[in-house]
C-alpha cells in the first residue's frame, strides 16, 4: 500500500512538473532572462554588478533550455528509434545542465562577495570592483564550472533493445563503465556536493548576513547625513542595489536548500531500488528540481519589483511609444532644453520667447504655447542663467518674423 502511494506520488509529480509546469516556467524564464540581458547591457546600466547579473541570466537561460530538453523524455513515444538523435544528444545536454547550474551558483557567490567589498570596504571599491575584473572572474567561473562537470557526459551510453512484446526497437540510456564505477561515483558525488552546494551556501549565508546588517546600519547613517543631499542620494542608491542582490541570494538559498538536504540524507541513507523511500525521493526530486527552475526564471521579476532604474530602462528600450506620450503630456517634467525666438518691442526691450521642450512647471494645454519673459536691450542673448520659471508668463505663439 505504501509503495503504491509512493509510485502514484512519483508519477503524479513527474506529470504535472515535467509536462505541465516546466514548459510554462521555461518560456517565462527564457523571455525574462533575455530581456534582462538586453537591459543590463544597455547604455547607462553598465557596471561590474550588472555584468555579474548578465552572466547569471545567461547561465540561467542555458539551464532552462536544457531542462526543457531533458523533460521531453517523459512524453510518450520518445523511446522510439526515430528520436535517436535526441537520445545521443541527451548525455551532453545533461552535462550542460549541470555546468550551467554550477556556473549560476558561483556567479551568485561572486557578486555577493563583490557587494560585500563595496559595502564594507568602500575605499577599495574603485580598485577591486571594476568591470575588467568582473569579466575575468566570470570567464574563470564559466570555464572551471564547465570543465569540472565535463565527465557527466561520459557517465552514460545509449543502447537499442528489441521489445519482444511489441516487436519494436526502443532506445535506452544506461550507465557506462565510468558511471558504474563505485569509486568514481562516490568521489564525484562528494566533490560536487561540497564544491557546488554546501560550500557556496555557507559563503552566501555568511556574506548575506553582513549585507543585511549593512542595510540596517545604512538607515542610521542616512539620518546622520540628512543635510548632505548628494551623499544621501548616493547612499540610497547603494542601499537599493544591496537590497536587490540580497533578494536574489535569499531566493537562491531557499530554492537550493531542499536539494542540499536531500544530498545530506542520501549520503547517510542508501535506500534499496524500487522501495518506498526510493520512489518518494524521486518524487521529491522532481519538486526540488522544479524549485531550481523557478530560481533560474524569477530574477527578472525581482529586478522589476525592486529596481526603479531597471523599470525605467525597460520602458525606454521596449516601450518607447509609452515614454513618448508621457514625455510630451502636459505634466510636471524636468527642464532639459529651451528654444527661443526674439523680437523688439515698442519700449526698446528685447522680448525673448522661450519654448520649453520639457519644463518643471505646468504647460498650458494649447499646443505651441510659449513661456515669455523680457530682458533689457543690453542683455546678451544665449548667455547667463535662464530666467526663473516663476517669471514666465503665458503668451500666444510668437514667430521671429513678427
Amino acid at each position: 500500500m505504501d509503495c503504491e502511494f509512493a509510485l502514484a506520488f512519483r508519477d503524479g509529480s513527474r506529470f504535472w512538473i515535467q509536462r505541465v509546469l516546466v514548459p510554462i516556467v521555461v518560456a517565462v524564464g527564457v523571455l525574462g532572462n533575455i530581456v534582462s540581458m538586453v537591459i543590463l547591457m544597455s547604455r547607462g546600466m553598465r557596471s561590474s554588478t550588472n555584468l555579474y547579473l548578465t552572466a547569471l541570466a545567461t547561465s540561467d537561460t542555458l539551464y532552462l533550455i536544457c531542462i526543457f530538453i531533458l523533460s521531453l523524455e517523459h512524453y510518450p513515444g520518445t523511446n522510439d528509434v526515430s528520436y535517436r538523435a535526441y537520445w545521443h544528444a541527451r548525455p551532453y545536454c545533461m552535462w550542460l545542465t549541470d555546468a550551467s547550474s554550477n556556473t549560476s551558483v558561483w556567479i551568485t557567490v561572486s557578486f555577493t562577495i563583490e557587494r560585500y567589498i563595496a559595502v564594507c570596504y568602500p575605499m577599495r571599491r574603485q580598485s577591486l570592483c571594476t568591470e575588467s575584473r568582473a569579466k575575468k572572474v566570470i570567464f574563470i567561473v564559466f570555464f572551471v564550472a564547465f570543465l569540472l562537470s565535463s565527465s557527466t557526459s561520459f557517465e552514460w551510453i545509449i543502447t537499442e533493445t528489441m521489445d519482444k512484446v511489441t516487436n519494436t526497437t526502443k532506445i535506452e540510456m544506461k550507465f557506462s563503465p565510468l558511471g558504474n564505477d563505485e569509486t568514481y561515483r562516490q568521489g564525484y558525488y562528494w566533490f560536487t556536493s561540497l564544491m557546488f552546494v554546501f560550500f557556496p551556501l555557507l559563503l552566501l549565508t555568511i556574506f548575506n548576513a553582513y549585507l543585511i546588517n549593512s542595510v540596517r546600519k545604512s538607515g542610521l547613517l542616512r539620518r546622520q547625513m540628512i543635510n548632505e543631499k548628494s551623499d544621501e542620494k548616493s547612499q540610497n542608491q547603494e542601499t537599493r542595489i544591496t537590497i536587490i542582490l540580497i533578494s536574489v541570494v535569499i531566493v537562491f538559498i531557499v530554492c537550493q536548500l531542499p536539494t542540499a538536504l536531500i544530498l545530506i540524507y542520501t549520503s547517510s541513507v542508501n535506500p534499496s531500488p524500487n522501495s518506498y523511500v526510493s520512489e518518494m525521493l524521486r518524487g521529491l526530486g522532481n519538486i526540488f528540481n522544479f524549485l531550481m527552475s523557478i530560481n533560474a526564471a524569477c530574477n527578472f521579476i525581482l529586478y522589476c519589483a525592486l529596481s526603479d532604474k531597471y523599470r525605467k530602462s525597460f520602458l525606454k528600450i521596449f516601450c518607447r511609444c509609452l515614454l513618448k506620450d508621457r514625455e510630451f503630456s502636459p505634466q510636471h517634467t524636468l527642464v532639459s532644453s529651451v528654444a527661443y525666438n526674439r523680437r523688439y518691442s515698442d519700449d526698446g526691450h528685447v522680448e525673448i520667447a522661450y519654448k520649453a521642450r520639457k519644463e518643471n512647471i505646468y504647460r498650458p494645454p494649447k499646443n505651441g504655447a510659449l513661456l515669455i519673459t523680457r530682458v533689457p536691450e543690453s542683455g546678451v542673448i544665449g548667455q547667463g542663467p535662464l530666467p526663473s520659471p516663476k517669471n514666465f508668463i503665458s503668451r500666444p505663439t510668437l514667430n521671429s518674423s513678427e
Side-chain angles (χ1 to χ4, degrees):
M1 185 68 179
D2 290 339
C3 191
E4 291 180 359
F5 172 79
L7 289 173
F9 173 71
R10 182 203 65 184
D11 295 338
S13 63
R14 179 179 295 171
F15 172 81
W16 286 104
I17 290 176
Q18 302 293 345
R19 297 175 60 179
V20 178
L21 296 178
V22 164
I24 297 174
V25 171
V26 168
V28 174
V30 169
L31 179 60
N33 286 331
I34 292 175
V35 169
S36 294
M37 285 187 277
V38 173
I39 293 175
L40 294 172
M41 296 302 294
S42 64
R43 183 183 302 177
M45 293 290 288
R46 293 292 296 270
S47 67
S48 59
T49 299
N50 287 348
L51 283 177
Y52 284 115
L53 296 181
T54 303
L56 180 63
T58 303
S59 59
D60 284 345
T61 300
L62 178 60
Y63 175 79
L64 290 171
I65 293 174
C66 289
I67 63 165
F68 175 72
I69 295 175
L70 294 179
S71 70
L72 297 178
E73 174 194 9
H74 303 289
Y75 287 80
T78 53
N79 287 338
D80 190 77
V81 290
S82 60
Y83 295 96
R84 184 180 289 109
Y86 166 77
W87 286 98
H88 282 281
R90 185 177 170 83
Y92 300 99
C93 190
M94 295 180 69
W95 165 51
L96 292 177
T97 303
D98 291 343
S100 57
S101 176
N102 297 337
T103 301
S104 296
V105 169
W106 280 101
I107 289 293
T108 305
V109 173
S110 299
F111 69 66
T112 302
I113 295 176
E114 191 212 45
R115 179 48 38 180
Y116 168 78
I117 294 173
V119 171
C120 299
Y121 301 96
M123 299 300 294
R124 298 184 180 181
R125 177 182 176 181
Q126 296 298 325
S127 60
L128 296 178
C129 304
T130 62
E131 291 188 28
S132 60
R133 187 180 295 272
K135 291 178 182 178
K136 294 177 183 177
V137 172
I138 290 169
F139 174 79
I140 293 173
V141 169
F142 268 86
F143 179 79
V144 173
F146 275 71
L147 179 64
L148 294 180
S149 305
S150 59
S151 63
T152 303
S153 58
F154 300 102
E155 295 176 2
W156 304 90
I157 57 174
I158 307 301
T159 61
E160 297 185 10
T161 58
M162 178 64 69
D163 190 339
K164 296 180 180 180
V165 177
T166 60
N167 198 27
T168 57
T169 303
K170 291 187 177 182
I171 299 179
E172 295 180 351
M173 191 168 71
K174 298 180 180 179
F175 278 117
S176 66
L178 176 65
N180 281 320
D181 187 276
E182 190 64 27
T183 303
Y184 165 80
R185 292 178 63 178
Q186 288 294 326
Y188 187 74
Y189 170 85
W190 281 109
F191 172 75
T192 55
S193 298
L194 293 174
M195 187 72 179
F196 298 112
V197 181
F198 299 119
F199 186 51
L201 285 177
L202 177 62
L203 291 178
L204 290 173
T205 302
I206 294 173
F207 286 109
N208 221 38
Y210 279 108
L211 292 177
I212 293 173
N213 187 49
S214 71
V215 171
R216 183 184 63 82
K217 289 182 177 179
S218 67
L220 299 175
L221 181 62
R222 194 160 51 246
R223 286 192 290 271
Q224 295 174 2
M225 303 170 64
I226 191 66
N227 294 325
E228 303 177 19
K229 295 185 178 179
S230 60
D231 292 338
E232 182 187 4
K233 181 178 179 180
S234 176
Q235 184 70 19
N236 289 340
Q237 179 67 18
E238 290 298 317
T239 301
R240 283 195 293 268
I241 294 174
T242 304
I243 291 175
I244 293 171
L245 298 184
I246 289 174
S247 303
V248 172
V249 172
I250 289 177
V251 172
F252 176 85
I253 293 175
V254 170
C255 294
Q256 294 281 345
L257 190 58
T259 300
L261 296 177
I262 286 289
L263 291 175
I264 294 175
Y265 177 80
T266 54
S267 66
S268 57
V269 177
N270 189 19
S272 59
N274 302 322
S275 65
Y276 171 79
V277 175
S278 176
E279 300 304 330
M280 287 296 295
L281 288 176
R282 288 188 178 184
L284 291 174
N286 289 326
I287 297 175
F288 296 158
N289 288 335
F290 180 65
L291 286 178
M292 296 174 65
S293 304
I294 292 177
N295 176 47
C298 72
N299 286 336
F300 168 77
I301 299 174
L302 293 177
Y303 302 153
C304 288
L306 300 175
S307 176
D308 183 62
K309 187 175 182 180
Y310 184 92
R311 291 193 298 270
K312 290 180 179 178
S313 298
F314 176 84
L315 293 175
K316 181 180 179 181
I317 295 174
F318 297 101
C319 305
R320 291 179 180 272
C321 56
L322 296 179
L323 280 183
K324 185 176 181 181
D325 294 339
R326 182 179 177 184
E327 178 180 349
F328 293 102
S329 62
Q331 303 295 330
H332 294 67
T333 55
L334 180 67
V335 173
S336 64
S337 60
V338 177
Y340 60 84
N341 297 319
R342 76 171 183 175
R343 69 175 186 178
Y344 287 89
S345 61
D346 296 334
D347 56 358
H349 285 73
V350 178
E351 191 171 73
I352 309 298
Y354 290 91
K355 183 175 183 179
R357 296 194 179 105
K358 297 179 184 177
E359 66 258 21
N360 60 355
I361 63 173
Y362 190 84
R363 182 188 304 175
K366 183 183 294 185
N367 292 332
L370 300 177
L371 303 175
I372 309 301
T373 188
R374 293 164 64 84
V375 298
E377 172 70 30
S378 58
V380 180
I381 299 175
Q383 297 183 10
L386 292 175
S388 173
K390 66 182 181 180
N391 295 327
F392 289 159
I393 58 174
S394 178
R395 292 284 182 84
T397 304
L398 295 175
N399 295 321
S400 58
S401 60
E402 291 181 344

